[in-house]
Amino acid sequence: LRLRPLVPDSVTLVSESGIRTPDDVRRLTEAGIQAILVGEALMAAGDPATTLAGFLEAAHPREARTA
């Protein structure tokens, strides 16, 4: 995230590691990261569908979807 200001807006930023919670997703989204890889988090989750739903909600809160 420290390098984010150095990357042009035309470049798609992908976070590939360390994403385990909806708070991680929220922090990355707020920093301008446009894509994330969460395979390990989903594989380790007891309920991958619920984990994915939490990640999606963190990235796209309902308030933003209905505004």
Side-chain angles (χ1 to χ4, degrees):
L1 293 179
R2 293 185 320 261
L3 299 177
R4 172 62 186 107
L6 303 175
V7 179
D9 290 338
S10 61
V11 174
T12 299
L13 293 173
V14 179
S15 181
E16 299 180 343
S17 175
I19 302 158
R20 293 179 180 82
T21 68
D23 285 336
D24 294 334
V25 174
R26 193 172 298 107
R27 180 176 48 88
L28 292 167
T29 300
E30 290 172 356
I33 304 302
Q34 295 114 335
I36 59 174
L37 299 179
V38 294
E40 183 178 351
L42 295 178
M43 294 300 292
D47 183 351
T50 299
T51 299
L52 179 58
F55 288 170
L56 290 171
E57 178 64 25
H60 305 284
R62 284 194 172 101
E63 305 82 48
R65 285 190 240 157
T66 60

